[in-house]
Amino acid sequence: MKLQIQNNFTVELPADPSEINTPRQVQQACFSYVAPKKPSNPSLIHASVEVANFIGLSQEDILSIDFLNTFSGNTIYPGTKPYALSYAGHQFGNWAGQLGDGRAINLTEVVHDGKSYTLQLKGAGPTPYSRTADGFAVLRSSIREHLCAEAMHYLGVPTTRSLSLMLSGDQVLRDILYNGNPAYEKGAIVCRVAPSFIRFGSFELFASRKDHATLQLLTDYTIKHHFPEIKSEGVDKYLAFFQTVTQTTLEMIVHWQRVGFVHGVMNTDNMSIHGITIDYGPYGWLDDYNPNWTPNTTDREHKRYRFGNQPQIALWNLYQLANALYPLINDAKPLETILNAFSSDYEKRYLNMMRNKLGFKIIKEEDAALIESLTELLQLVETDMTIFFRNLSNVQKENSAVDALNAIKEAFYNEKELGGAILNKWYAWFEQYHNRINLEVLSDAERKEQMNTVNPKYVLRNYMAQLSIDAADKGDYSLLNELFELLKKPYDEQAESQKWFAKRPDWARDKVGCSMLSCSS
C-alpha cells in the first residue's frame, strides 16, 4: 500500500508546542500532534473502493494488513505525524470557546491525480481537545456515518467521504439516551476523507482570542491551498474567500432541502469552509414532510436545527464567520453586503430547485405560489416526502385531479385522513399542477426522466440504518453491504430493492435510533 504524502498543514501552520495528550487550552496553534490509541483487535467491516481509488489505493490494498493497521490507528504510516485540529464554535447558538478534534485524529494529507485530501480517523482515542470525553466512537454511530457520507455523495450532495469502517476490538461505555443508563458497546473507527477539515470555528477560535497573527496565517493558508482561484490580495482576497464560502454553503443547504436531509447539529464547529456536509451525528431524512422536525434529542425543545430552519441557521453561522474574519478586513459593510444577499439568493436557488422537483423547465411567475401551497398541503396529513416527489413524476398531462392523487397516494401514511376540505384542497392543487405541466414542452416521459434525476427513490431512512446496526451488532454485515450498494444508485429504479421504497414502518415511529437520535457516540 503506497500513499503520496504531503504535510502542508503541519509544515506551514503553527503547532502546539506540547505533545502531552491531556485535555487543556491550546494557545496560538492550529493543531496538536497526537497519536491514535492502538486498538486491541482491529478488523475491517467495510470499505469504499471508489474512495480508495481516488486517494490512490486499489481494491487489493484494502485487503492488506497495511490498510488494516493504518486506518484503524494501529500503526502510523511512514513519513506522517498524526494531529488533531484546534477550533472553537457556537453550539446551539451559544459561544462554547475552544472545542477542537475531541474524537478525530488527522492521519495525513495525500495527493492523487493532482487533488489533495486529508485522511481523518474518527473514534481513534483521546486528544488534548477531548475535554471530559474518551475520544472513542461506537459501532452504531460509525455505521451511520459511513453509510451516510457515501449516500450523500451519490445523491449529489456535497459531503465528506468515508473510506473505511472498522471494529477496534474494544468496548466503549456510552449512555445512549443520556438518562443515567450507560452500557458497553462495540468500539469502531471510521476513516473520513475531505479536502480539509477546516471549519468556521477554526477562524472563530483565533478571532475570539484576538490572536490576529494566527488568524491571518490560517486564512492565508486556506486560500492558498484550497481556493487557488482567488488571485486578489489584501482585503479583497479575504472578501473573495468569504463570498466563496457563502455561496458553497448556500449550495449545500439547497441540496439538503432538495433531498429532505436534516443535519441535526449545525453548530459553527460543524460547518466546513468547503461547503460540504461534515460531522454526521444525529442526522435524518424527513419521513413525513414536517419542516419542524429535528432528529436531535438535544434539540427537542427549541428545534433550532429543524429542517425548515436550516437556511436561516446557515446564514447565522455565516455571520459568525464574518465576525471572525472581520479583523482581517476592518470594514463591516462589504461583509454585510455579502450576507444580505444570502437570503434573496437562497430564495432564487430554492425556487429553481423546487421547479426541477416538480418537472418545470419553463419559468413562470406563479410557480412560487404553487410551490408554497404544496408545502402547506404536505403538512395537512402525514405525507412521505421521498415517495411523494418520486411518484409525482408518474402524473401525466391528461390526468384528472383524481388520477393525479391516485398516482401519489402511496405517500400518505393514513389515507383515511384525506377527507372533506383536505381532499378538496389536494384536488384544487392538482388542477393547478395539471394546467402548469401542460405549459411544458417536454413529453410526460421526458419530464419523468428529468424529475427522477433530482427526486431520489432511495434515501437512508433512520430505520434502515438501525436495522443494519442491529444486525451488525450480532456480527451480520450483509444488510450494511446491501444498503451501501442500494444507496450508490439512489435515482435508479432498482426493482429488486423495491422493499426499501416504502414509508417508515409503524414499529419505527418511536423506536430509539429510528426517529430521534442523541449526540452519543
Side-chain angles (χ1 to χ4, degrees), residues 475-493:
D476 179 1
Y477 308 123
S478 59
L479 185 51
L480 188 157
N481 292 326
E482 179 184 344
L483 292 179
F484 188 89
E485 293 304 316
L486 171 80
L487 296 166
K488 284 169 73 172
K489 297 178 180 178
Y491 299 99
D492 291 2
E493 285 299 323

Side-chain angles (χ1 to χ4, degrees), residues 204-503:
E204 286 186 282
L205 177 65
F206 302 116
S208 70
R209 292 174 170 174
K210 295 183 169 49
D211 181 1
H212 298 160
T214 309
L215 173 66
Q216 185 165 5
L217 278 173
L218 175 63
T219 311
D220 287 344
Y221 168 89
T222 304
I223 295 169
K224 172 185 172 184
H225 289 287
H226 300 295
F227 298 82
E229 69 278 8
I230 296 175
K231 304 298 184 186
S232 48
E233 290 298 332
V235 169
D236 289 343
K237 175 173 71 171
Y238 302 128
L239 286 171
F241 168 59
F242 183 65
Q243 171 72 28
T244 303
V245 175
T246 299
Q247 288 302 309
T248 55
T249 300
L250 187 158
E251 175 77 13
M252 176 185 73
I253 299 295
V254 171
H255 277 295
W256 288 3
Q257 305 304 100
R258 174 177 65 83
V259 299
F261 175 78
V262 193
H263 185 278
V265 204
M266 288 179 68
N267 298 329
T268 57
D269 57 297
N270 292 337
M271 297 292 290
S272 167
I273 51 92
H274 299 286
I276 60 176
T277 317
I278 59 172
D279 293 339
Y280 291 102
Y283 65 80
W285 268 266
L286 292 183
D287 285 317
D288 60 296
Y289 187 85
N290 178 4
N292 292 317
W293 183 71
T294 173
N296 191 345
T297 54
T298 309
D299 200 25
R300 189 197 309 265
E301 183 179 357
H302 299 293
K303 293 182 167 49
R304 175 182 175 85
Y305 297 143
R306 63 191 182 275
F307 176 71
N309 206 35
Q310 291 184 139
Q312 289 73 28
I313 292 298
L315 178 58
W316 193 93
N317 289 341
L318 285 162
Y319 266 95
Q320 311 319 310
L321 179 60
N323 288 336
L325 294 174
Y326 175 79
L328 305 180
I329 297 163
N330 288 311
D331 185 357
K333 191 171 182 181
L335 290 168
E336 289 171 352
T337 299
I338 294 169
L339 289 164
N340 289 339
F342 180 92
S343 294
S344 59
D345 288 348
Y346 174 79
E347 288 304 320
K348 291 173 189 170
R349 298 291 289 277
Y350 174 82
L351 182 57
N352 285 332
M353 176 271 287
M354 289 298 291
R355 281 190 177 109
N356 286 331
K357 286 180 75 67
L358 293 173
F360 304 162
K361 283 295 185 186
I362 299 170
I363 295 175
K364 291 289 181 182
E365 206 171 298
E366 60 268 25
D367 290 346
L370 185 65
I371 289 165
E372 184 177 357
S373 62
L374 172 61
T375 56
E376 290 171 358
L377 264 180
L378 288 169
Q379 298 172 63
L380 294 182
V381 298
E382 200 173 13
T383 309
D384 189 282
M385 177 179 174
T386 301
I387 294 175
F388 173 84
F389 281 105
R390 184 70 178 194
N391 282 356
L392 190 63
S393 68
N394 294 326
V395 175
Q396 299 188 350
K397 290 181 178 182
E398 70 273 11
N399 281 164
S400 67
V402 174
D403 292 335
L405 193 66
N406 283 333
I408 60 90
K409 69 179 181 180
E410 182 186 357
F412 297 121
Y413 278 83
N414 187 354
E415 256 190 272
K416 292 177 182 176
E417 295 177 354
L418 276 179
I422 293 176
L423 188 59
N424 288 334
K425 286 180 180 180
W426 271 111
Y427 285 150
W429 188 85
F430 272 116
E431 286 289 349
Q432 291 179 287
Y433 186 65
H434 170 268
N435 294 334
R436 181 63 182 81
I437 60 175
N438 273 283
L439 298 175
E440 296 290 328
V441 295
L442 295 180
S443 68
D444 288 330
E446 290 169 333
R447 190 179 70 260
K448 177 182 173 72
E449 183 179 1
Q450 179 269 314
M451 291 172 70
N452 285 353
T453 64
V454 294
N455 295 320
K457 182 170 182 178
Y458 303 103
V459 295
L460 181 61
R461 299 171 185 268
N462 275 349
Y463 87 88
M464 294 163 62
Q466 189 60 44
L467 286 172
S468 71
I469 289 165
D470 292 343
D473 207 39
K474 299 171 185 173
D476 179 1
Y477 308 123
S478 59
L479 185 51
L480 188 157
N481 292 326
E482 179 184 344
L483 292 179
F484 188 89
E485 293 304 316
L486 171 80
L487 296 166
K488 284 169 73 172
K489 297 178 180 178
Y491 299 99
D492 291 2
E493 285 299 323
Q494 299 191 70
E496 72 283 1
S497 299
Q498 188 71 18
K499 66 180 180 180
W500 298 118
F501 183 60
K503 297 184 288 288

Side-chain angles (χ1 to χ4, degrees), residues 7-19 24 26-34 81-87 101 106 128-129 205-206 214 218:
N7 295 303
N8 290 334
F9 192 90
T10 53
V11 167
E12 297 182 30
L13 291 172
D16 176 4
S18 171
E19 295 190 24
R24 52 195 162 81
V26 175
Q27 302 291 331
Q28 297 179 310
C30 293
F31 64 95
S32 302
Y33 286 115
V34 58
K81 192 171 184 181
Y83 57 97
L85 297 185
S86 182
Y87 48 83
D101 285 336
N106 301 275
Y129 310 101
L205 177 65
F206 302 116
T214 309
L218 175 63

Side-chain angles (χ1 to χ4, degrees), residues 1-2 43-71 146 162-166 484:
M1 185 181 81
K2 186 168 178 58
S43 58
L44 177 65
I45 293 176
H46 192 271
S48 167
V49 176
E50 182 181 328
V51 178
N53 290 165
F54 75 60
I55 64 169
L57 299 180
S58 66
Q59 190 160 5
E60 290 71 29
D61 288 324
I62 290 172
L63 302 176
S64 69
I65 190 66
D66 285 347
F67 186 93
L68 176 68
N69 283 332
T70 299
F71 297 112
H146 182 64
S162 184
L163 171 64
S164 58
L165 168 65
M166 299 194 185
F484 188 89

